[in-house]
Amino acid sequence: MTVPDTGKRAVPKRLLRIFISAGDVSGDIQGAQLIRALTEAAAGRGQDLNITALGGSRMQAAGANIVRDVGDVSAVGFAEVIPYLLPGLKLFFKVRSILIKDPPDIAVVIDYPGINIPLASILRKRLGITVVYYLPPEEWIWSKKGNRLFDRSAKIANITNQVLAAHQLEYDFYTGAGCNTRLIGHPLQDVIANSAMTREQARLKLGVSSKQLVVALLPASRRQEMKLIWPVMLEAAAGMIRQRPGLQFFIPLASSALDKRLRKEMLAAVDKFPELTGALNIVGDKTSFSKASEQVIAAADLALTKSGTVTLELALRGIPQIVIFRLGKMTIWIGRHILGLCEDDFTDVYVALPNLITHQEIVPEFVQHNIDTETIMKTAIELLHEESSARARQLAGFAALRKCLGESGASKRAAEAILALVP
């Protein structure tokens, strides 16, 4: 039997092209989570996706076509950016050319403003592309400091269609700056909820017993952070092991750009501090960056860490931490003499996200002039005691932080908000 052709045929939905830009390791983690959520949400709508991205191995594994791994061109500070200016400019012009020749239907930029604000401007103002800023930079820290040259909130409002905020402070600030803002919660809740790595499994992978005291050293996802923060952590670790012999320190490899540098630093560390012989362990290689970090954090009793998103991950996993933050001398000079910043501008500013979001000092911070390795060591030893009041205070603070970051499902809410903006 032949079925007559009625002339009515199902019209397949047009392939939806999305561009996502993440500027560092943290953005790569959040970007990968978002890509999975977008893929799932689009499938529910019968929509096929093609995702092109600036990102890293995690986003690539999630299904993105990577234009360039940006892990080796990101930096923190002003003067620290200088060595990366030429590679960064080359990357910017390359991506701009790609986007002009083949514009996406919608673009999502994640945090890192150095690359993402110029890209968003091209996309929105020149190409008329809908732009979403996902996890925007913490501009509220600088909005009323110095001469306000560093406040980019008005620029962000001008080049975005929507800002997706992770917590109430972020939502209130960007709404006040004129952005179309939506509160979605923090996607790290999802990353941790979806993690199958338990403490026991992580320790089995690392080859340590349940009773072994493990300290995570998390100095860097960028080269200049390694230069500025690693020596402080190393000296503190040497002091710690003198107080508590048998401690084991684990350092996850954050990116291929840091591999050779970190292994060289490890050899120099043992020469300088012989007591650390056999106590420093690098975890991971170029095929397992994300798993390395997850293993080390899940296994840790304590972390000495740089500032950044990793402080939230530690807090949400219930790992006590000490945060160390340091900028180079030239960056400090620029801040004082060009941006008009002074010490008073930082008396009411936290650098650790758990503290910043909750407006209280949940985790101890050691910043610039108040970095003292002896005090860091003593604080760390106290936090390693299971029954210490300092440890109990941090864990109670982490519970308050979880409430500030909302329920799980932020990645799904973000994906739905992005797809709802598709022209």
Side-chain angles (χ1 to χ4, degrees), residues 265-314:
E265 292 286 351
M266 289 274 286
L267 294 174
V270 173
D271 286 341
K272 186 173 182 179
F273 301 103
E275 58 268 48
L276 290 174
T277 302
L280 296 174
N281 308 275
I282 296 177
V283 179
D285 55 37
K286 63 182 179 180
T287 65
S288 60
F289 296 138
S290 58
K291 290 297 181 183
S293 178
E294 184 180 9
Q295 286 174 18
V296 170
I297 290 174
D301 296 292
L302 172 70
L304 304 187
T305 180
K306 62 166 190 147
S307 63
T309 306
V310 68
T311 62
L312 282 185
E313 182 176 358
L314 288 162

Side-chain angles (χ1 to χ4, degrees), residues 38 55 116 120 148 171 221 237 251 277 315 317 361-362 382:
L38 281 167
N116 284 333
R148 302 183 66 178
Y171 174 84
S221 59
I251 308 100
T277 302
R317 291 185 184 274
E361 188 171 327
I362 295 175
E382 183 180 9

Side-chain angles (χ1 to χ4, degrees), residues 15-83:
L15 181 68
L16 177 61
R17 295 174 300 170
I18 301 178
F19 172 73
I20 301 177
S21 175
D24 55 14
V25 170
S26 173
D28 189 38
I29 293 170
Q30 308 307 332
Q33 188 77 11
L34 178 63
I35 289 167
R36 288 188 284 268
L38 281 167
T39 303
E40 183 177 344
R45 296 159 51 122
Q47 182 79 65
D48 291 327
L49 297 183
N50 178 274
I51 299 176
T52 301
L54 277 178
S57 58
R58 299 165 183 85
M59 291 173 69
Q60 185 174 39
N65 302 309
I66 300 298
V67 174
R68 167 74 186 275
D69 188 329
V70 294
D72 58 350
V73 295
S74 60
V76 172
F78 308 118
E80 288 82 0
V81 172
I82 292 172

Side-chain angles (χ1 to χ4, degrees), residues 159-195:
I159 61 175
T160 60
N161 297 83
Q162 190 168 76
V163 169
L164 300 180
H167 48 80
Q168 193 66 46
L169 174 61
E170 194 165 77
Y171 174 84
D172 291 342
F173 174 80
Y174 277 102
T175 299
C179 298
N180 172 24
T181 315
R182 180 167 175 175
L183 181 61
I184 61 166
H186 205 292
L188 262 180
Q189 300 268 43
D190 301 336
V191 173
I192 293 168
N194 294 334
S195 170

Side-chain angles (χ1 to χ4, degrees), residues 58-256:
R58 299 165 183 85
M59 291 173 69
Q60 185 174 39
N65 302 309
I66 300 298
V67 174
R68 167 74 186 275
D69 188 329
V70 294
D72 58 350
V73 295
S74 60
V76 172
F78 308 118
E80 288 82 0
V81 172
I82 292 172
Y84 303 93
L85 283 177
L86 184 56
L89 284 171
K90 287 181 178 178
L91 173 61
F92 172 76
F93 286 117
K94 175 184 177 181
V95 176
R96 186 184 73 164
S97 176
I98 291 171
L99 294 174
I100 291 173
K101 289 178 181 178
D102 188 20
D105 297 299
I106 190 167
V108 182
V109 294
I110 303 174
D111 193 6
Y112 200 67
I115 289 176
N116 284 333
I117 288 180
L119 279 180
S121 183
I122 292 289
L123 287 159
R124 182 81 184 103
K125 296 302 181 181
R126 179 169 176 177
L127 302 178
I129 303 299
T130 298
V131 175
V132 178
Y133 216 130
Y134 183 49
L135 304 177
E138 290 113 18
E139 294 299 305
W140 61 85
I141 297 176
W142 310 103
S143 62
K144 297 180 180 178
K145 306 298 182 184
N147 55 26
R148 302 183 66 178
L149 287 177
F150 205 55
D151 179 14
R152 296 164 291 197
S153 56
K155 178 71 171 177
I156 290 172
N158 193 40
I159 61 175
T160 60
N161 297 83
Q162 190 168 76
V163 169
L164 300 180
H167 48 80
Q168 193 66 46
L169 174 61
E170 194 165 77
Y171 174 84
D172 291 342
F173 174 80
Y174 277 102
T175 299
C179 298
N180 172 24
T181 315
R182 180 167 175 175
L183 181 61
I184 61 166
H186 205 292
L188 262 180
Q189 300 268 43
D190 301 336
V191 173
I192 293 168
N194 294 334
S195 170
M197 184 71 67
T198 65
R199 175 182 168 87
E200 292 72 23
Q201 290 170 331
R203 285 176 168 249
L204 183 63
K205 291 279 188 182
L206 296 178
V208 295
S209 71
S210 59
K211 295 182 179 180
Q212 172 70 56
L213 284 177
V214 171
V215 179
L217 299 182
L218 308 170
S221 59
R222 302 178 178 99
R223 291 174 183 171
Q224 91 276 13
E225 288 175 323
M226 172 68 71
K227 179 181 178 181
L228 293 166
I229 295 173
W230 174 250
V232 178
M233 288 188 178
L234 191 65
E235 188 172 342
M240 291 170 67
I241 206 166
R242 286 193 290 267
Q243 294 287 321
R244 296 291 297 267
L247 283 177
Q248 285 291 307
F249 300 91
F250 286 85
I251 308 100
L253 190 60
S255 70
S256 57

Side-chain angles (χ1 to χ4, degrees), residues 319-384:
I319 309 299
Q321 60 187 281
I322 294 170
V323 177
I324 301 166
F325 181 82
R326 172 181 274 174
L327 292 171
K329 293 180 180 179
M330 183 58 70
T331 289
I332 295 171
W333 187 92
I334 292 172
R336 286 175 177 168
H337 297 281
I338 297 178
L339 299 179
L341 297 169
C342 64
E343 296 295 341
D344 290 343
D345 286 317
F346 298 92
T347 56
D348 61 344
V349 172
Y350 292 118
V351 299
L353 286 173
N355 299 345
L356 194 155
I357 292 169
T358 59
H359 303 286
Q360 58 179 305
E361 188 171 327
I362 295 175
V363 302
E365 298 181 356
F366 292 86
V367 180
Q368 290 300 131
H369 60 280
N370 75 340
I371 290 177
D372 179 76
T373 53
E374 182 72 16
T375 306
I376 293 172
M377 180 270 292
K378 290 179 179 177
T379 305
I381 292 297
E382 183 180 9
L383 287 170
L384 281 171

